[in-house]
């Protein structure tokens, strides 16, 4: 059996290695148009920032070591320019010599990956403007940042996704002043807005210049510097620009070779990772598949799913499609200075786009028991189905322990679980590591209270709609349930202060004919007060989701 694999890194190289482990006698040829077949793509920003000191640490295998270990013929600088699925052959161009030749196959695997989005903006081809997708990109950026600058070092990041924020941190550590330009109203679009504003505030505290709701209309280049001209007429001067606008599937070869392209713009594959041609398979960033929660096709640009696909693909090549790929819920995490930021499953924007009904909850627990020194704040947001509590998506922003909470939430979503499963999870508990009520269980308890109508949450945008409409506002009475001192230090305009521990004494003063909105710092005291009022005859009582902490952050960056 002769296998050809087009493209290396997570998808192609892992497929080749797995193939050899289960089939010692086949012929395997791997084509890669670049110089490298197996490197730590996700580590590139940290090498630029000198967190990873040695360039060689980025390389998991060289073409020679990989070929020797797995008896795979590795052909670098070799671009496959056409696939003939009828004759079962490919045309290859050796990029150094320009020589073209053909190679036949029994089965073929496509792993072309994704390519950075570079919109047709004037001046975007300036030598001071970079994308970060490959080792060669990294080397060029590294060479520039090691140069001696005559002026203060200014870096512009266009796009505030995961890679953009990782690059912002690493360049900041090298002494650059950072400006981030993002066309959307928030950073990191997998996050819902109440979680994204936590990141906004952290970036501001790190003296990052964050420009939202604005895009770049053009670039101009002069004297080794670049000026980004913004859509609102402003201009930003920088010594280098990193484009982190996003990526798209590299489907050119598949498309010109007649393979089916799906609705999401990726290479269509079935559950066995076969393309529309049965002897051609595809893995990695270039493919699309149904999201396990929404059922809608999408592309997932993550190394973990690519490695899983590669293993399944290799097994199916040898064992005639005995394994099915279940899809990915796109669990992603990033370090943003001192924060850990992660998301899994579907965001509110995704849910709205798919017309899936949902409820949400926001909790602000600490990383471990509050009485044990060093407890750090954490925020967890759940999106779940109103009918049965099925967990649809989750996001975590914090520091210590945020990653393990995200993994727990992702496991429940992957298994089709509910918010009740969060309550039933058994956690390892000791004061340095968690609380008796782990943050994940606590999030489950809050969601259960919402689902069983023990509390009626009010979201920040609902409150803002009420406060901005005088006629609506007259129907509500808003109560700050925090202490008098907290109330004096800042509250929501128009609220009255009835501390939760005293609220029973003041019930007669609360207008029962009005709808009551309660809030506290993070939601707990508001919940307790709402239970008191609901059981005391009040008909309509709401508790502000996420409390004053969430609302005040939104007030700084969103609410006008």
């Amino acid at each position: 059996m002769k296998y050809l694999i087009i493209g290396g890194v997570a998808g192609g190289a892992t497929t080749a290695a797995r193939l050899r482990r289960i089939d010692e006698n086949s012929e395997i040829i791997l084509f890669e148009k670049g110089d490298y077949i197996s490197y730590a793509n996700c580590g590139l920003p940290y090498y630029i920032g000198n967190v990873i000191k040695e360039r060689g640490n980025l390389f998991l295998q060289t073409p020679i070591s990989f070929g020797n270990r797995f008896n795979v013929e590795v052909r670098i600088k070799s671009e496959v320019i056409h696939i003939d699925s009828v004759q079962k052959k490919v045309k290859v161009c050796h990029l150094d010599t320009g020589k073209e030749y053909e190679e036949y196959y029994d089965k073929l695997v496509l792993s072309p990956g994704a390519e950075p989005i570079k919109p047709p903006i004037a001046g975007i081809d300036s030598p001071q403007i970079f994308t970060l997708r490959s080792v060669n990109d990294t080397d060029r950026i590294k060479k520039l940042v090691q140069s001696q600058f005559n002026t203060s070092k200014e870096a512009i990041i266009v796009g505030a996704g995961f890679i953009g924020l990782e690059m912002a941190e690493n360049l900041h550590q090298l002494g650059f002043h950072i400006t981030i330009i993002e066309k959307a109203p928030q950073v990191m679009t997998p996050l819902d807005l109440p979680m994204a504003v936590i990141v906004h505030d952290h970036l501001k505290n790190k003296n990052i210049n964050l420009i939202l709701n604005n895009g770049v209309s053009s670039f101009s280049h002069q004297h080794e510097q670049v000026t980004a001209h913004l859509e609102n007429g402003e201009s930003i001067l920088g010594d280098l620009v990193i484009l982190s606008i996003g990526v798209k599937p590299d489907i050119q070869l598949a498309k010109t070779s007649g393979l089916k392209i799906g609705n999401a713009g990726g290479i269509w594959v079935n559950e066995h990772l076969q393309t529309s041609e049965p002897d051609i398979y595809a893995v990695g960033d270039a493919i699309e598949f149904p999201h396990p929660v929404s059922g809608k096709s999408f592309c997932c640009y993550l190394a973990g799913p690519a490695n899983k696909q590669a293993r399944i693909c290799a097994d199916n090549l040898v064992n005639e499609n005995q394994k099915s790929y279940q899809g990915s819920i796109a669990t992603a995490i990033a370090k943003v200075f001192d924060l850990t930021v992660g998301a899994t499953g579907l965001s509110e924007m995704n849910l709205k786009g798919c017309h899936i009904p949902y409820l949400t909850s926001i909790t602000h627990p600490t990383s471990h028991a509050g009485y044990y020194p060093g407890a750090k704040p954490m925020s967890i947001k759940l999106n779940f189905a109103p009918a049965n509590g099925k967990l649809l998506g989750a996001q975590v922003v914090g520091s210590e322990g945020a990653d393990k909470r995200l993994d727990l939430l992702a496991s429940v979503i992957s298994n089709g679980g509910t918010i009740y499963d969060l309550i039933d999870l058994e956690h390892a508990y000791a004061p340095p590591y968690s609380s008796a009520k782990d943050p994940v269980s606590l999030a489950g308890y809050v969601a259960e209270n919402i689902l069983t109508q023990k509390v009626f949450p009010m979201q920040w945008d609902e409150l803002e709609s009420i406060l901005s409409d005088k006629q609506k506002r007259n129907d509500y009475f808003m109560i700050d349930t925090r202490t008098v001192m907290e109330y004096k230090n800042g509250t929501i305009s128009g609220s009255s202060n009835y501390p939760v521990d005293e609220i029973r004494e003041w019930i007669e003063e609360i207008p029962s004919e009005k709808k009551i909105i309660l809030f506290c710092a993070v939601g707990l005291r508001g919940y307790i007060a709402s239970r008191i009022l609901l059981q005391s005859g009040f008909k309509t009582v709401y508790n502000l989701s996420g409390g004053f902490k969430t609302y005040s952050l939104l007030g700084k960056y969103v609410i006008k």
Side-chain angles (χ1 to χ4, degrees), residues 6-40:
I6 302 172
V9 200
T14 302
T15 301
R18 175 67 174 174
L19 263 176
R20 180 56 73 215
R21 287 195 294 269
I22 58 178
D23 184 357
E24 179 62 24
N25 299 313
S26 63
E27 181 182 1
I28 305 172
I29 303 174
L30 190 155
F31 300 98
E32 170 55 53
K33 62 183 177 182
D35 299 289
Y36 310 98
I37 62 158
S38 184
Y39 60 90

Side-chain angles (χ1 to χ4, degrees), residues 429-462:
Y429 161 61
Y433 303 105
S434 184
S435 299
K437 292 179 181 177
D438 186 86
V440 168
S441 293
L442 185 62
Y445 290 137
V446 171
E448 180 193 34
N449 286 336
I450 293 170
L451 206 61
T452 57
Q453 297 190 336
K454 289 184 177 64
V455 67
F456 297 89
M458 175 165 286
Q459 303 303 325
W460 69 272
D461 51 347
E462 294 175 308

Side-chain angles (χ1 to χ4, degrees), residues 463-502:
L463 177 57
E464 187 56 24
S465 174
I466 292 166
L467 295 180
S468 61
D469 186 322
K470 289 183 179 180
Q471 189 171 352
K472 279 186 184 178
R473 179 69 181 85
N474 289 331
D475 295 331
Y476 293 84
F477 187 76
M478 187 160 50
I479 300 174
D480 185 339
T481 66
R482 298 174 300 157
T483 64
V484 173
M485 185 62 68
E486 288 174 291
Y487 178 78
K488 287 180 177 178
N489 286 335
T491 189
I492 300 174
S493 178
S495 65
S496 300
N497 184 213
Y498 294 100
V500 65
D501 294 337
E502 304 167 17

Side-chain angles (χ1 to χ4, degrees), residues 95-148:
L95 297 179
D96 278 350
T97 64
K99 179 183 176 182
E100 295 182 3
Y101 62 95
E102 293 180 340
E103 196 74 57
Y104 287 84
Y105 65 87
D106 292 306
K107 292 186 179 180
L108 175 69
V109 179
L110 279 171
S111 180
E115 55 186 352
I117 294 172
K118 287 186 70 174
I121 297 173
I124 201 168
D125 294 322
S126 165
Q128 309 298 114
I129 299 177
F130 304 89
T131 57
L132 181 61
R133 190 67 185 171
S134 67
V135 175
N136 290 335
D137 294 335
T138 306
D139 289 340
R140 288 192 290 268
I141 297 169
K142 184 82 170 180
K143 182 179 179 181
L144 179 61
V145 300
Q146 288 176 331
S147 302
Q148 295 297 318

Side-chain angles (χ1 to χ4, degrees), residues 41-61:
N41 190 291
C42 297
L44 300 181
Y46 300 99
Y47 169 64
I48 292 170
N50 287 334
V51 178
I52 298 171
K53 303 293 184 184
E54 298 297 327
R55 183 177 182 275
N57 290 341
L58 295 171
F59 301 101
L60 310 178
Q61 293 276 359

Side-chain angles (χ1 to χ4, degrees), residues 111-426:
S111 180
E115 55 186 352
I117 294 172
K118 287 186 70 174
I121 297 173
I124 201 168
D125 294 322
S126 165
Q128 309 298 114
I129 299 177
F130 304 89
T131 57
L132 181 61
R133 190 67 185 171
S134 67
V135 175
N136 290 335
D137 294 335
T138 306
D139 289 340
R140 288 192 290 268
I141 297 169
K142 184 82 170 180
K143 182 179 179 181
L144 179 61
V145 300
Q146 288 176 331
S147 302
Q148 295 297 318
F149 290 93
N150 296 322
T151 60
S152 60
K153 297 192 279 190
E154 299 284 341
I156 299 171
I157 313 289
V158 182
F162 284 70
I163 296 297
L165 296 190
E166 288 172 349
M167 279 302 300
E169 177 185 351
N170 281 279
L171 290 173
H172 183 270
Q173 290 178 175
L174 294 177
F176 281 83
H177 177 259
I178 308 296
T179 296
I180 299 173
I181 302 167
E182 171 57 58
K183 195 172 180 67
Q186 66 170 79
V187 303
M188 306 178 95
T189 53
L191 295 180
D192 293 325
L193 193 54
M195 301 295 277
V197 292
I198 303 172
V199 184
H200 295 179
D201 202 52
H202 191 63
L203 292 171
K204 181 181 178 181
N205 290 336
K206 294 295 182 179
N207 295 315
I208 303 300
N209 181 24
L210 180 60
I211 299 173
L212 301 170
N213 285 306
N214 208 344
V216 177
S217 58
S218 65
F219 294 101
S220 58
H221 178 80
Q222 188 176 13
H223 303 305
E224 304 302 318
Q225 288 188 306
V226 177
T227 300
H229 303 279
L230 306 187
E231 292 174 348
N232 68 352
E234 296 179 8
S235 296
I236 307 292
L237 183 66
D239 297 294
L240 79 158
V241 175
I242 306 292
L243 295 178
S244 181
I245 300 171
V247 295
K248 60 183 179 181
D250 186 349
I251 60 169
Q252 188 60 31
L253 176 62
K255 191 173 182 180
T256 58
S257 300
L259 300 181
K260 180 180 177 181
I261 305 302
N263 294 330
I267 301 170
W268 178 91
V269 293
N270 64 15
E271 70 273 19
H272 303 301
L273 299 170
Q274 283 175 299
T275 69
S276 52
E277 290 292 336
D279 290 325
I280 301 178
Y281 293 66
V283 297
D285 293 353
I287 71 170
E288 66 171 67
F289 46 82
H291 192 287
V293 179
S294 71
K296 304 285 187 181
S297 287
F298 86 119
C299 299
C300 180
Y301 309 110
L302 297 169
N307 276 286
K308 291 181 178 69
Q309 294 158 17
R311 186 180 178 89
I312 292 169
C313 177
D315 285 6
N316 286 339
L317 286 166
V318 175
N319 298 316
E320 298 298 327
N321 297 336
Q322 292 185 10
K323 290 189 175 181
S324 295
Y325 180 57
Q326 301 301 316
S328 166
I329 58 172
T331 303
I333 195 167
K335 178 181 180 295
V336 182
F337 291 91
D338 304 324
L339 286 182
T340 298
V341 183
T344 183
L346 299 179
S347 67
E348 288 195 58
M349 183 174 67
N350 298 144
L351 290 163
K352 289 173 182 174
C354 295
H355 305 290
I356 297 174
Y358 67 93
L359 296 170
T360 75
S361 69
I362 299 173
T363 52
H364 298 293
T366 54
S367 56
H368 60 247
Y371 59 82
Y372 186 89
K376 302 291 175 60
M378 182 186 299
S379 298
I380 297 178
K381 185 173 188 293
L382 304 182
N383 298 328
F384 53 97
N388 56 9
K390 181 179 179 181
L391 193 57
L392 306 172
Q395 297 149 34
V396 183
V397 178
S399 54
E400 175 188 297
D403 55 337
K404 74 174 182 177
R405 272 63 185 224
L406 183 70
D407 286 340
L408 284 170
L409 293 162
S411 295
V412 171
I413 296 172
S414 292
N415 291 320
T418 70
I419 56 102
Y420 300 105
D421 294 310
L422 303 183
I423 296 169
D424 292 337
L425 283 171
E426 185 170 340

